[in-house]
Amino acid sequence: QVQLVESGGGLVQPGGSLRLSCAGSGSIFNSHRMGWYRQAPGKERELVAQIISNSVTNYADSVKGRFTISRDNAKNTVYLQMNSLKPEDTAVYYCYYDAWGTRYWGQGTQVTVSS
């Protein structure tokens, strides 16, 4: 079985930075897609960024140029570096891993951007 554990969330002022981590255990394969969604109060969950292997990445338009997704295959860990944070980035961030038609989710980590 696959387990995902996120960390790195917290409270940050607008313009600040945070780095989220998602450590995977179990049957994690480097060629499979991993990424991050977020869900703000009263809104649907939305895709933030995803990475396939170490070379193919996609980002939501709202975070392009501010967020960077990366992956350490040796540690089965995916990261989300978030810079120039805005209040509208406030949400619970969830990492995910896709394998053979199954999507695994982490428990989520809260990111709050506020002065």
Side-chain angles (χ1 to χ4, degrees):
Q1 290 295 324
V2 172
Q3 290 189 324
L4 304 172
V5 179
E6 299 109 331
S7 60
L11 173 64
V12 63
Q13 293 186 343
S17 298
L18 282 175
R19 189 177 82 153
L20 305 183
S21 300
C22 174
S25 60
S27 299
I28 301 291
F29 293 88
N30 301 335
S31 59
H32 290 178
R33 179 168 44 212
M34 295 186 76
W36 295 89
Y37 274 73
R38 67 185 180 187
Q39 188 166 21
K43 294 188 177 181
E44 294 186 354
R45 192 173 292 193
E46 63 172 350
L47 178 66
V48 177
Q50 61 184 17
I51 184 167
I52 303 171
S53 298
N54 272 339
S55 59
V56 179
T57 59
N58 293 292
Y59 297 92
D61 288 343
S62 58
V63 307
K64 282 180 182 177
R66 300 188 299 122
F67 290 11
T68 302
I69 190 169
S70 61
R71 188 168 183 167
D72 185 335
N73 292 328
K75 297 181 178 179
N76 289 335
T77 299
V78 63
Y79 303 97
L80 186 67
Q81 178 67 44
M82 305 186 294
N83 299 327
S84 302
L85 283 161
K86 305 175 181 180
E88 51 264 43
D89 295 317
T90 295
V92 178
Y93 284 70
Y94 299 89
C95 75
Y96 74 92
Y97 171 73
D98 287 340
W100 298 289
T102 299
R103 175 159 288 180
Y104 299 90
W105 293 97
Q107 82 284 358
T109 185
Q110 176 71 47
V111 172
T112 302
V113 185
S114 175
S115 55

